[in-house]
């Protein structure tokens, strides 16, 4: 089975991001594979092994994302494609992925349900629409039975089991697989696995981020004695007016 | 082209509260643009409940006779309605199915898309929306350039507002292609308040020591008419189902009131809750980082505080 895993290169989720002149200051912040993409990658490696297939990792990004791509190769992807462009917005990224997928005819196109930088949750749906493929999000379990996938998908207040034949797109989340940590052999072999750099297709910009700000800070916490709980109830009703 | 189209999702025949917020949001945008607010709903909205859409701001309701269960079907319905109504803006509330329909609608309409929008747009210089990014660690202003804009709004982006317009319902037909996805089984809890819809959320963490102790959390939620939620370790240990997990890799909520009980407040948990209006933290550790992000705090053992809080609320509400 021919599998494509699309990953985002995002700031470490533990990082505190400072802002300077309305822009995020990402100097000195370490970057990782976006957490949901990392779950999808882990399952993609397992499915590649099960089907004795081929797993390609794709990232839309400038040269600074290559260490993140190499990490995906160390975890188990067979080869990599980097589209040499700044990932301007979801439509831009989806257009690049769709352009490559049209040539390669992947059976499975996997990614996370959203990235942890822009949290758009749009790329999977856009890629599916551009390719005319079905799309399952958020996918928390994916098993293959020949060319039919049985998936568990989270819905409000529960889950549903869906079936769809390949090819399709899925946006994944935990607990689809355990995150995989690269071992020494993986890290060594990742250095020599093929990483192809391709130039982007031309895409119109539909959106533009004009400003970043810190979210409004909460004024300092008001502490209430545990033996005076009635006071909390009063404050919630009269001061916060939320009851 | 200045009309606004709002997709309305229903539950048990009535529009979801989040969809009513979307209608009010859409009505406010339509006023800014000098156009009409048109709602589109499928057969899951019963005719008896269509009136609520006019109450909260819809000038017209397009009622589709069929059902749309998959995101691709929602996308086709909404795109067809948007084209018929010459909509400049399409609005949906966040939901699992609508969230996936939104990017599909964007591609169909060659539209600019913004998800997780937290406030009304600023039209003073183009069309600029405010949305959360970096999992709640940043607020961004995004300028949308296309003729058509598709927005999905977070809970409490504008709230509901009563307009009490005159109801006009039109039946609407669209050719919806059958989805290639087959639903084999649905396991859904019934009779509970759904987490993304809830005005109040009662969330608990490892401080509760085990799944057998969740009874008091459920009691408290019942008293408040709240949904229950949990931290990531709790869902990882299977103490609670995954769809209750709130945080960076779980559900992001923005209720009016969020109770965090026995949750230390790791940055990944805060990411899922920091757009809540009011946060109350109960933790026996006075150094718990969550207190720094709370509005009200109680230092105390959950096993002592929660039952007392429940009694006090029962007496007051």
């Amino acid at each position: 089975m021919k599998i494509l895993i699309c990953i985002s290169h995002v700031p470490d989720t533990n990082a505190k991001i400072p802002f300077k002149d309305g822009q995020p200051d990402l100097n000195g912040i370490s970057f990782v594979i976006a957490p949901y993409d990392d779950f999808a990658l882990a399952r993609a490696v397992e499915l590649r092994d099960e089907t004795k297939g081929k797993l390609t990792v794709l990232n839309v990004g400038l040269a600074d994302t290559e260490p993140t791509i190499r990490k995906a190769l160390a975890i188990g992807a067979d080869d990599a494609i980097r589209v040499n462009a700044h990932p301007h917005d979801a439509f831009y990224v989806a257009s690049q992925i769709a352009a490559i997928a049209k040539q390669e005819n992947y059976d499975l196109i996997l990614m996370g349900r959203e990235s942890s930088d822009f949290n758009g949750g749009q790329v999977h749906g856009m890629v599916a629409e551009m390719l005319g493929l079905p799309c399952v999000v958020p996918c928390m379990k994916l098993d293959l039975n020949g060319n039919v996938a049985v998936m568990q998908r989270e819905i409000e207040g529960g889950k549903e089991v869906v079936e769809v034949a390949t090819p399709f797109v899925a946006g994944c989340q935990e607990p689809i697989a355990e995150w995989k940590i690269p071992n020494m052999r993986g890290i060594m072999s990742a250095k020599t696995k093929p990483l192809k750099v391709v130039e982007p297709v031309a895409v119109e910009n539909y959106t533009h981020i004009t400003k970043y700000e810190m979210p409004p800070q909460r004024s300092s916490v008001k502490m209430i004695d545990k033996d005076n709980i009635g006071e909390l109830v009063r404050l919630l009703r009269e001061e916060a007016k939320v009851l | 082209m200045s009309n606004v189209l709002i997709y309305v999702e229903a539950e048990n025949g009535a529009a979801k509260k989040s969809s009513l917020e979307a209608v009010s949001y859409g009505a406010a945008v339509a006023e800014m643009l000098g156009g009409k607010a048109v709602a589109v709903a499928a057969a899951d909205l019963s005719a008896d409940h269509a009136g609520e859409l006019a109450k909260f701001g819809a000038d017209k309701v397009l009622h589709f006779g069929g059902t749309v269960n998959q995101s691709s079907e929602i996308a086709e319905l909404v795109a067809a309605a948007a084209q018929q109504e010459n909509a400049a803006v399409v609005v949906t509330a966040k939901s699992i199915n609508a969230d996936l329909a939104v990017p599909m609608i964007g591609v169909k309409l060659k539209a600019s898309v913004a998800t997780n929008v937290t406030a009304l747009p600023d039209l003073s210089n183009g069309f600029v929306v405010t949305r959360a990014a970096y999992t709640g660690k940043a607020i961004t202003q995004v300028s949308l350039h296309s003729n058509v804009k598709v927005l999905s709004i977070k809970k409490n982006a504008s709230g509901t507002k009563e307009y009490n317009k005159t109801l006009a319902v039109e039946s609407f037909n669209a050719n919806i292609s059958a989805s290639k996805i087959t639903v084999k089984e649905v396991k859904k809890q019934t009779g509970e308040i759904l987490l993304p819809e809830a005005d109040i959320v009662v969330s608990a963490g490892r401080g509760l020591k085990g799944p057998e102790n969740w009874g008091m959390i459920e009691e408290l939620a019942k008293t408040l008419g709240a949904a229950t939620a949990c931290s990531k370790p709790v869902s990882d240990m299977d103490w609670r189902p995954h769809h209750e997990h709130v945080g960076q890799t779980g559900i992001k909520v923005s209720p009016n009131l969020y109770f965090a009980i026995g949750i230390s407040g790791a940055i990944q948990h805060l990411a899922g809750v920091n757009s809540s209006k009011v946060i109350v933290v109960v933790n026996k550790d006075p150094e718990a980082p969550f207190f720094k992000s709370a509005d009200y705090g109680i230092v105390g053992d959950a096993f002592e505080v929660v039952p007392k809080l429940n009694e006090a609320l029962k007496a007051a509400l």
Side-chain angles (χ1 to χ4, degrees):
Chain A
M1 190 154 277
K2 219 172 143 179
I3 307 172
L4 181 70
I5 169 77
C6 308
I7 60 166
S8 298
H9 161 89
V10 303
D12 187 337
T13 56
N14 278 308
K16 284 213 163 75
I17 298 167
F19 295 89
K20 223 163 58 186
D21 307 324
Q23 294 297 317
D25 179 6
L26 300 172
N27 279 320
I29 286 181
S30 59
F31 279 74
V32 296
I33 300 170
Y36 288 121
D37 297 340
D38 221 353
F39 286 120
L41 169 65
R43 187 62 188 139
V45 169
E46 294 167 1
L47 292 170
R48 187 272 322 272
D49 291 347
E50 268 175 37
T51 62
K52 300 186 172 55
K54 186 180 172 201
L55 176 61
T56 300
V57 57
L58 171 63
N59 169 258
V60 179
L62 298 172
D64 62 324
T65 71
E66 287 196 3
T68 305
I69 300 173
R70 291 280 174 205
K71 190 179 170 202
L73 291 169
I75 288 171
D78 298 298
D79 63 359
I81 302 171
R82 179 171 68 81
V83 178
N84 187 30
H86 175 69
H88 180 81
D89 66 7
F91 184 76
Y92 185 90
V93 171
S95 301
Q96 304 307 330
I97 296 171
I100 286 166
K102 268 178 197 157
Q103 298 165 11
E104 296 290 334
N105 296 314
Y106 298 103
D107 299 296
L108 281 181
I109 300 178
L110 303 182
M111 62 189 82
R113 70 176 292 183
E114 67 181 44
S115 67
S116 56
D117 49 3
F118 298 106
N119 313 106
Q122 300 177 36
V123 173
H124 36 60
M126 287 181 169
V127 169
E129 184 67 30
M130 288 168 182
L131 298 173
L133 297 179
C135 189
V136 174
V137 183
C139 171
M140 49 201 304
K141 201 166 176 230
L142 196 176
D143 291 310
L144 286 170
N145 186 1
N147 72 332
V148 175
V150 181
M151 286 180 270
Q152 206 176 76
R153 172 175 180 262
E154 187 153 284
I155 55 173
E156 280 97 2
K159 49 197 172 189
E160 67 181 21
V161 179
V162 301
E163 231 177 59
V164 63
T166 58
F168 63 87
V169 180
C172 306
Q173 70 173 32
E174 62 184 329
I176 190 160
E178 296 274 337
W179 277 336
K180 294 195 191 315
I181 297 160
N183 57 27
M184 194 44 79
R185 215 178 110 219
I187 293 167
M188 294 313 287
S189 67
K191 290 179 180 165
T192 53
K193 284 179 178 174
L195 193 167
K196 189 166 80 178
V197 179
V198 300
E199 290 307 312
V201 293
V203 177
E204 199 182 332
N205 285 343
Y206 282 171
T207 71
H208 173 63
I209 298 180
T210 56
K211 195 165 82 177
Y212 291 80
E213 285 169 323
M214 288 286 282
Q217 297 294 306
R218 280 170 206 279
S219 50
S220 61
V221 58
K222 203 172 263 188
M223 298 305 292
I224 294 137
D225 192 281
K226 67 180 167 62
D227 296 319
N228 191 12
I229 289 209
E231 176 64 3
L232 174 66
V233 176
R234 187 190 70 77
L235 288 167
L236 291 175
R237 297 186 86 177
E238 294 172 16
E239 186 180 75
K241 297 189 170 63
V242 285
L243 286 182
Chain B
M1 195 165 92
S2 49
N3 292 331
V4 177
L5 184 87
I6 306 110
Y7 171 61
V8 170
E9 249 178 11
E11 182 94 18
N12 303 322
K16 284 177 159 182
K17 200 169 167 209
S18 53
S19 284
L20 294 176
E21 284 191 27
V23 169
S24 287
Y25 183 99
V29 176
E31 268 181 6
M32 295 161 99
L33 297 172
K36 299 274 184 211
V38 181
V40 62
D44 57 344
L45 180 77
S46 79
D48 306 345
H49 284 286
E52 287 160 19
L53 305 185
K55 182 178 168 189
F56 290 107
D59 294 292
K60 186 164 84 175
V61 178
L62 301 178
H63 206 192
F64 176 65
T67 52
V68 283
N69 297 317
Q70 298 282 344
S71 299
S72 63
E73 298 167 345
I74 297 171
E76 289 188 23
L77 174 70
V78 174
Q83 276 160 344
Q84 177 187 298
E85 296 298 320
N86 258 319
V89 180
V90 173
V91 179
T92 78
K94 265 188 81 62
S95 82
I96 295 269
N97 281 336
D99 282 356
L100 178 54
V102 160
M104 296 174 174
I105 298 165
V107 172
K108 284 179 197 292
L109 299 178
K110 298 188 168 47
S112 302
V113 180
T115 55
N116 296 329
V117 172
T118 56
L120 285 167
D122 176 359
L123 305 188
S124 60
N125 183 15
F127 193 106
V128 177
V129 296
T130 305
R131 66 180 298 274
Y134 290 117
T135 325
K137 291 178 206 166
I139 304 286
T140 59
Q141 306 283 328
V142 187
S143 175
L144 307 181
H145 310 312
S146 303
N147 291 334
V148 181
K149 286 94 180 163
V150 182
L151 313 178
S152 89
I153 61 162
K154 279 188 92 160
K155 188 176 171 64
N156 281 326
S158 71
T160 49
K161 187 178 157 196
E162 296 205 10
Y163 287 81
N164 296 319
K165 292 180 180 172
T166 311
L167 178 65
V169 181
E170 281 178 16
S171 65
F172 181 71
N173 279 314
N175 286 323
I176 309 286
S177 8
S179 168
K180 292 173 192 157
I181 298 166
T182 317
V183 178
K184 305 298 276 186
E185 193 185 350
V186 179
K187 294 177 201 155
K188 196 170 172 171
Q189 290 175 359
T190 51
E192 282 184 27
I193 294 165
L194 297 175
L195 187 51
E197 295 281 303
D199 289 324
I200 304 178
V201 173
V202 178
S203 189
R206 260 184 303 196
L208 261 78
K209 296 191 168 71
E212 66 280 7
N213 297 323
W214 244 261
M216 64 181 186
I217 298 298
E218 284 166 352
E219 284 286 308
L220 180 60
K222 201 173 151 201
T223 304
L224 288 160
T228 50
C230 68
S231 63
K232 179 166 163 42
V234 165
S235 90
D236 283 352
M237 291 182 290
D238 274 333
W239 292 3
R240 299 296 290 177
H242 187 271
H243 66 256
E244 284 198 1
H245 158 208
V246 162
Q248 175 126 25
T249 53
I251 292 174
K252 283 99 190 159
V253 295
S254 48
N256 295 334
L257 179 54
Y258 185 83
F259 283 92
I261 296 160
I263 302 177
S264 63
I267 191 164
Q268 290 90 345
H269 185 79
L270 296 177
V273 306
N274 57 10
S275 49
S276 305
K277 269 192 189 160
V278 174
I279 294 178
V280 178
V281 168
V282 177
N283 205 300
K284 68 178 178 187
D285 174 9
E287 302 298 321
F290 217 148
F291 284 118
K292 292 201 178 80
S293 303
D295 299 284
Y296 301 104
I298 294 181
V299 176
D301 190 345
F303 294 92
E304 182 190 342
V305 173
V306 173
K308 280 207 282 192
L309 178 59
N310 192 23
E311 288 313 309
L313 285 164
K314 268 189 188 164
L317 298 177

